[in-house]
Amino acid sequence: MCSFSLAYSGSHPFLHCALDLWGTVVHIEGVRVAGKVAFSYGNMLLQKCRLRNHIAMEVTQVLLNAQSVDSTVRKHAEETLKQFQEQNLPGFLLSLSGELASEEKPVDSRKLAGLILKNALDAKEQHRKYELVQRWLSLDVAVKTQIKTCLLQTLSSPAPDARSTASQVIAKVAGIELPQKQWPELIGSLLSNQQLPAHIKQATLETLGYLCEEVSPDVMEQDQVNKILTAVIQGMNAEEKNNDVRLAATRALYNALGFAQANFTNDMERDFIMRVVCQATLSPEVKIRQAAFECLVSISSTYYEKLAPYIQDIFSITAKAVREDEEPVALQAIEFWSSICDEEIDILEDYGGDFTADSDVPCYNFIKQALPALVPMLLETLLKQEEDQDQDEVAWNLAMAGGTCLGLVARTVGDDIVPLVMPFIEENITKPDWRQREAATYAFGSILEGPSPDKLTPIVNGALNFMLTALTKDANSHVKDTTAWTLGRIFEFLHGSTVEIPIITPANCQQIITVLLQSMKDAPNVAEKACGALYFLAQGYGDVAASSPLTPFFQEMVQSLLTVTHREDAGESRLRTAAYEALNEVVRCSTDETVPMVLQLVPVIMMELHQTLEAQKLSSDEREKQSELQGLLCGCLQVIIQKLGSSEPTKYAFSQYADQIMSLFLRVFACRSATVHEEAMLSIGALAYATGPDFAKYMPEFYKYLEMGLQNFEEYQVCAVTVGVVGDLCRALEDKILPYCDGIMTQLLKDLSSNQLHRSVKPPIFSCFGDIALAIGENFEKYLMYAMPMLQSAAELSARATGADDEILDYTNLLRNGILEAYSGIFQGFKNSPKTQLLIPYAPHILQFLDSIYMEKDMDDVVMKTAIGVLGDLADTLGSNAGSLIQQSVSSKDFLIECLSSDDHLIKESAEWAQMAISRAISV
């Protein structure tokens, strides 16, 4: 971490900036008390609590009041408790733990006390979480000891809610203290409860489960892990007669599996764990069976490479569950095979079919081996639909899980699945029972991604006419819904410039469009899928430069989609959103022939947006719908602006609307909705690109909204989009952006220093430095003393990602690329300026950074291309001043040679340019 000061001359503020690149939002599972504060009371009745006004307070009653249906009573209680917390935090936390532990107190106040105590230890926002952790660690040891004693005491309470809440709080405290080498006696204390009555044993196992969820595996010694796993496995054993204990143990194992790396490498220990888990899948209690299958799902992804000895038995267990068990259990049994597919798809994508000695994980082809039995089992599930599944957007049932798994199997094994599924389709597609027709159609749609076009195209060509007829003529809405979805999948995976044999031909194009447009008048769920199909149909012609078969139907498609957006039921089944998405794609993929019609669309969409801004006195529900519609309309205008702004003649024709559109966008910003803000901001970027330097006239009024977007830490996607728009503005305005740069740079540096802003926004901010430098050239001089130390600190952090997991490595590469893009923009911005010598002091560090990422050998192709480009920019801008430095560099020569021989033509191209620039610098 680096700390330094930012001080601009004149009116600009003096900032203290500390770089925080790794802060990220952590999702906390479990119950939270959101939006209000409510607290509780102690082990012995806390008689009086001295507040500033010296009023004695009965905390239990206030706690109960905090749950009152009467908002006045509730708000008063919340305020009273908030005062207690602010005036006397130790007493406040003691009272919470005491209330939770006291058997004399009402269950409602005890449970709430525990939940609020938990929330006093943890938060979703990373910066707030850090504050709460520090606050707990700074408490007096005696206070913490008393609180922890109360919590452990509560585990023996007869009240299940109190025990369960205490379990969660203990885990939160452990999550703070164990990494600090505090509370070392906790695990031993918990494990000593194993010989006590069943309800204490159950609470202890639940606590161990939550603890494993909160604590990182590297915090615990292997000996402790072994003892926890022993207790958990004993609790899961079939000999354990208490179902509550067995269920708690099974759920605990789910969280403890990440700790069992060493145990899974030991054959005997692994066999024992697997045997107990498999036995638990046969328990008479449905919740235990479900939890046991959840463990198997976790094992399938965590320990895929250890599964071979057990896979046959697991298939038998899962097949029985899918065919005979209750739905929650059957769903997990299917999920096991979906998880295996995910693992094998990842392995095959990473390594292809070539597993050499240095492959981390070989592919065991479990799916391919199980195929003859697995596919029939999954096909059976497709016949178990629910009557209302298409109307419920969050529905998840056996048929859907089976179809999803079938799709993953198709992606895993490719062509091999087709002969196993086709007989089922042929047998059921014309049956009188709608369930059979729908299942056959769903099976067909599910296998369209994975097998080769050569295998599928003849089958699709034979089936297309039948499906178009079914979409309009079938009597059942479920069948039509799935048919429209399947047509969308056909157009997504088997249509486009990369497919050799076309599915859409001059002979069937009109029929396809007619059927899709007709289906948009159907029930909302069917119409939504028809819009999706049209989206993929248009997308397939996205890179056709000249004429498109869709051109003659452009007007009709646009009119039909606009009609859908005005349907009274367009709010159902995502229909309005799907219609606008399809409209956007039809416009985006249209050809020059349709430009006059796209231009006619501008005033239509503008009028619709204008109407949303005229609505007065809306309810919160109406305001939410209005915001959603404004977002969709801004998105549509963005696509239209991009389309018309992409060539000079159309750009000129569009310019007549620019002022009116900008005026609408500014009114949208005034509504202050995050979603709309994001969509409108993206549209501004497109408008800036289309209008170029002329956009400068809008900046005085727009700037305040740009600044608001950069300050929006909470809705970080809005902040990220705004950072991107700063780049768009730099490219459009060039040096006309200069008057706004002080404010923009101040805010960007604040953003980088914030531990509240999501880390994903930080790499684009560095890139933005490069955009600004390119736009304003040598005027970037006054920002060098602030930007360069930030870049240097970030570079040092990003060079040290050795041994990181994939997620951290991906982020590290994004960060490196952002830093390199900043350097590239700064070098190019200063090129041919008399002030280039200002950059010389920074060159050694930049070369050191390039050396370090080359030596790490973990950069991706994007970083490699940008990095070799920066080496060229450095040589090109600094000339002879860089020559000797580059020659002294540890790895520049090797890096250049490697890039010159790259298979990636973009890397090779950058390397060739860099080679010329370096040669010039050295020869001077």
Side-chain angles (χ1 to χ4, degrees):
M1 292 285 186
C2 86
S3 293
F4 60 91
S5 301
L6 162 67
Y8 293 125
S9 56
S11 62
H12 291 280
F14 182 86
L15 303 174
H16 288 287
C17 300
L19 192 62
D20 182 346
L21 298 167
W22 303 93
T24 186
V25 174
V26 177
H27 179 64
I28 306 300
E29 295 291 348
V31 184
R32 304 192 78 244
V33 178
K36 60 183 181 181
V37 188
F39 297 96
S40 158
Y41 170 74
N43 170 9
M44 302 169 291
L45 183 65
L46 182 68
Q47 315 219 347
K48 291 183 181 176
C49 158
R50 290 191 179 278
L51 300 176
R52 190 168 287 164
N53 58 5
H54 305 293
I55 295 175
M57 180 175 66
E58 170 51 83
V59 184
T60 302
Q61 187 56 53
V62 178
L63 261 176
L64 295 172
N65 289 350
Q67 301 173 70
S68 170
V69 292
D70 184 328
S71 63
T72 309
V73 173
R74 191 171 66 247
K75 283 175 183 171
H76 178 69
E78 289 167 3
E79 189 53 42
T80 308
L81 290 162
K82 186 179 177 185
Q83 277 191 345
F84 184 13
Q85 179 180 207
E86 289 170 356
Q87 299 299 328
N88 182 4
L89 180 67
F92 180 66
L93 297 176
L94 279 167
S95 75
L96 293 175
S97 58
E99 182 84 8
L100 178 59
S102 174
E103 298 301 334
E104 298 166 12
K105 301 298 176 186
V107 171
D108 284 350
S109 71
R110 294 177 71 187
K111 184 178 177 183
L112 187 55
L115 288 175
I116 297 158
L117 178 55
K118 177 166 77 82
N119 291 331
L121 299 166
D122 201 357
K124 187 177 178 182
E125 298 80 15
Q126 189 70 3
H127 67 99
R128 179 66 182 148
K129 181 186 175 90
Y130 177 79
E131 287 169 7
L132 294 176
V133 166
Q134 295 309 309
R135 188 176 77 171
W136 172 264
L137 290 171
S138 66
L139 283 175
D140 183 79
V141 174
V143 171
K144 289 189 283 189
T145 302
Q146 193 175 337
I147 291 169
K148 291 185 286 191
T149 302
C150 286
L151 292 171
L152 289 170
Q153 178 187 324
T154 311
L155 294 182
S156 59
S157 169
D161 282 347
R163 293 199 306 271
S164 182
T165 309
S167 294
Q168 295 174 52
V169 183
I170 289 167
K172 293 294 179 191
V173 175
I176 296 171
E177 295 205 348
L178 293 184
Q180 306 291 326
K181 306 295 184 193
Q182 298 176 16
W183 211 1
E185 70 277 13
L186 171 64
I187 307 294
S189 173
L190 289 171
L191 293 173
S192 69
N193 288 348
Q194 291 305 295
Q195 307 309 317
L196 294 172
H199 72 281
I200 303 177
K201 197 172 174 183
Q202 177 270 332
T204 302
L205 287 164
E206 188 175 351
T207 307
L208 289 170
Y210 285 131
L211 190 146
C212 289
E213 194 175 20
E214 289 296 327
V215 176
S216 170
D218 56 12
V219 166
M220 275 195 240
E221 300 291 334
Q222 187 58 43
D223 182 52
Q224 287 182 315
V225 171
N226 292 342
K227 286 175 180 173
I228 290 172
L229 285 171
T230 301
V232 168
I233 294 296
Q234 280 177 354
M236 284 180 70
N237 230 316
E239 284 75 52
E240 175 56 65
K241 299 306 176 195
N242 185 294
N243 280 340
D244 290 340
V245 171
R246 202 170 176 204
L247 178 60
T250 310
R251 287 176 173 167
L253 179 66
Y254 179 84
N255 288 327
L257 282 168
F259 291 74
Q261 297 282 353
N263 310 85
F264 263 77
T265 58
N266 180 306
D267 292 355
M268 197 156 53
E269 291 179 23
R270 184 179 67 247
D271 286 348
F272 188 58
I273 294 170
M274 292 301 293
R275 185 165 72 252
V276 170
V277 173
C278 290
Q279 282 174 350
T281 66
L282 306 174
S283 163
E285 173 57 45
V286 64
K287 286 183 178 176
I288 295 173
R289 296 200 300 277
Q290 181 182 350
F293 274 112
E294 286 170 0
C295 288
L296 279 180
V297 173
S298 179
I299 289 167
S300 70
S301 58
T302 313
Y303 301 109
Y304 167 85
E305 71 281 5
K306 303 292 185 187
L307 281 178
Y310 317 104
I311 204 75
Q312 189 60 55
D313 289 339
I314 292 174
F315 181 82
S316 303
I317 294 166
T318 51
K320 188 174 191 299
V322 170
R323 291 191 169 110
E324 300 172 17
D325 214 327
E326 294 182 41
E327 186 173 83
V329 181
L331 287 171
Q332 288 302 320
I334 292 173
E335 185 60 28
F336 173 84
W337 291 103
S338 292
S339 177
I340 293 287
C341 287
D342 286 335
E343 291 301 309
E344 297 197 345
I345 288 166
D346 285 348
I347 294 167
L348 292 167
E349 282 178 355
D350 287 347
Y351 299 107
D354 177 27
F355 298 109
T356 54
D358 62 350
S359 300
D360 294 338
V361 182
C363 183
Y364 288 99
N365 293 309
F366 293 138
I367 298 297
K368 202 168 222 175
Q369 291 170 33
L371 213 53
L374 181 59
V375 170
M377 177 186 85
L378 294 173
L379 292 172
E380 282 177 40
T381 66
L382 304 190
L383 294 159
K384 298 180 181 178
Q385 308 96 323
E386 291 172 5
E387 289 285 353
D388 60 348
Q389 65 182 32
D390 295 330
Q391 277 69 43
D392 182 358
E393 291 179 37
V394 293
W396 186 249
N397 57 40
L398 215 53
M400 291 175 162
T404 301
C405 187
L406 191 66
L408 289 167
V409 171
R411 288 177 58 200
T412 309
V413 302
D415 289 358
D416 292 352
I417 198 170
V418 177
L420 294 170
V421 174
M422 285 313 297
F424 177 84
I425 296 170
E426 288 159 0
E427 184 186 341
N428 290 286
I429 197 76
T430 56
K431 287 285 172 70
D433 183 349
W434 74 265
R435 289 179 183 280
Q436 290 173 286
R437 298 197 305 280
E438 195 276 338
T441 312
Y442 190 18
F444 190 35
S446 297
I447 64 166
L448 290 168
E449 183 185 9
S452 63
D454 289 349
K455 188 80 171 175
L456 291 173
T457 302
I459 301 167
V460 169
N461 277 327
L464 193 58
N465 204 46
F466 178 89
M467 297 187 71
L468 292 169
T469 304
L471 184 51
T472 49
K473 300 282 174 57
D474 200 289
N476 185 273
S477 179
H478 294 297
V479 177
K480 289 199 276 191
D481 179 294
T482 305
T483 303
W485 172 78
T486 300
L487 284 168
R489 301 262 297 172
I490 289 171
F491 302 148
E492 182 179 4
F493 298 114
L494 297 170
H495 159 58
S497 58
T498 56
V499 180
E500 287 181 20
I501 306 169
I503 297 284
I504 291 95
T505 63
N508 64 20
C509 187
Q510 182 165 0
Q511 183 197 5
I512 289 169
I513 291 168
T514 303
V515 167
L516 292 180
L517 299 188
Q518 187 180 332
S519 297
M520 287 178 199
K521 299 171 186 172
D522 211 313
N525 58 298
V526 177
E528 186 262 336
K529 304 291 193 308
C531 289
L534 185 60
Y535 173 97
F536 288 116
L537 181 67
Q539 190 177 74
Y541 294 113
D543 48 8
V544 175
S547 63
S548 158
L550 301 187
T551 299
F553 311 103
F554 182 84
Q555 188 82 43
E556 190 183 356
M557 290 188 295
V558 167
Q559 194 52 58
S560 295
L561 288 164
L562 287 172
T563 304
V564 171
T565 67
H566 294 131
R567 280 176 54 159
E568 284 188 16
D569 57 1
E572 298 173 29
S573 297
R574 275 190 80 257
L575 178 54
R576 183 177 286 111
T577 301
Y580 275 114
E581 286 172 352
L583 177 60
N584 293 349
E585 202 62 12
V586 166
V587 169
R588 193 182 70 77
C589 301
S590 61
T591 61
D592 292 346
E593 296 171 66
T594 56
V595 162
M597 288 178 273
V598 175
L599 207 53
Q600 289 167 19
L601 196 52
V602 177
V604 175
I605 303 297
M606 281 170 57
M607 179 53 70
E608 303 237 342
L609 185 55
H610 174 77
Q611 285 168 355
T612 68
L613 294 163
E614 294 300 298
Q616 300 293 323
K617 294 180 180 175
L618 300 174
S619 68
S620 60
D621 189 44
E622 287 170 332
R623 194 175 295 109
E624 191 178 328
K625 287 179 180 173
Q626 178 207 45
S627 292
E628 185 185 343
L629 181 55
Q630 287 174 347
L632 292 169
L633 290 165
C634 286
C636 188
L637 280 171
Q638 180 198 350
V639 172
I640 293 170
I641 294 166
Q642 285 171 333
K643 188 72 188 174
L644 296 173
S646 60
S647 69
E648 286 306 318
T650 55
K651 193 187 289 190
Y652 178 76
F654 163 75
S655 62
Q656 62 184 304
Y657 296 112
D659 289 358
Q660 292 165 273
I661 288 179
M662 189 64 194
S663 173
L664 282 171
F665 287 155
L666 291 170
R667 287 182 65 191
V668 166
F669 283 124
C671 295
R672 289 301 311 275
S673 158
T675 313
V676 185
H677 199 136
E678 190 175 342
E679 296 296 338
M681 194 60 81
L682 284 165
S683 305
I684 292 281
L687 188 62
Y689 176 80
T691 55
D694 290 345
F695 191 87
K697 64 183 175 182
Y698 307 127
M699 282 300 291
E701 205 173 343
F702 170 62
Y703 177 73
K704 63 182 175 188
Y705 298 114
L706 186 77
E707 198 164 56
M708 277 163 51
L710 293 175
Q711 290 166 353
N712 196 339
F713 290 174
E714 287 185 16
E715 290 138 354
Y716 67 88
Q717 295 91 338
V718 175
C719 188
V721 165
T722 310
V723 170
V725 168
V726 171
D728 294 334
L729 292 171
C730 289
R731 285 181 283 278
L733 298 177
E734 296 181 336
D735 60 356
K736 287 186 180 179
I737 191 96
L738 187 57
Y740 305 95
C741 284
D742 281 3
I744 290 170
M745 282 297 294
T746 301
Q747 194 53 54
L748 291 177
L749 289 162
K750 277 184 183 176
D751 287 352
L752 283 174
S753 309
S754 168
N755 62 0
Q756 296 176 39
L757 183 61
H758 195 281
R759 69 180 189 184
S760 64
V761 187
K762 297 187 176 183
I765 290 175
F766 286 124
S767 299
C768 204
F769 286 175
D771 294 330
I772 293 169
L774 262 176
I776 64 173
E778 64 181 32
N779 291 303
F780 195 81
E781 174 193 353
K782 65 174 168 179
Y783 308 124
L784 283 175
M785 63 187 289
Y786 312 116
M788 290 309 238
M790 278 277 193
L791 287 163
Q792 187 166 331
S793 296
E796 286 167 3
L797 284 171
S798 77
R800 296 195 297 266
T802 315
D805 62 31
D806 289 348
E807 188 183 343
I808 293 290
L809 187 57
D810 288 346
Y811 176 72
T812 299
N813 275 317
L814 286 172
L815 188 58
R816 289 168 176 169
N817 199 57
I819 294 162
L820 290 165
E821 285 182 343
Y823 285 142
S824 180
I826 290 166
F827 279 127
Q828 290 179 46
F830 276 82
K831 190 184 173 187
N832 300 326
S833 156
K835 295 183 178 178
T836 50
Q837 76 274 6
L838 293 172
L839 301 179
I840 295 169
Y842 303 110
H845 177 267
I846 293 169
L847 287 166
Q848 191 182 334
F849 175 49
L850 292 173
D851 281 341
S852 67
I853 58 175
Y854 176 70
M855 307 292 262
E856 287 285 341
K857 300 293 183 193
D858 57 7
M859 63 177 144
D860 58 25
D861 285 353
V862 176
V863 174
M864 185 176 273
K865 177 188 171 296
T866 318
I868 200 65
V870 167
L871 188 62
D873 289 327
L874 188 145
D876 193 38
T877 301
L878 300 184
S880 59
N881 292 306
S884 59
L885 290 171
I886 292 171
Q887 285 178 305
Q888 291 163 27
S889 159
V890 178
S891 60
S892 290
K893 189 178 178 183
D894 292 343
F895 186 25
L896 187 63
I897 291 167
E898 189 172 314
C899 291
L900 286 167
S901 58
S902 172
D903 294 335
D904 185 316
H905 76 277
L906 292 173
I907 293 174
K908 194 171 183 179
E909 211 172 86
S910 289
E912 286 167 353
W913 175 82
Q915 186 179 36
M916 287 192 294
I918 292 166
S919 297
R920 285 196 301 272
I922 291 170
S923 64
V924 173

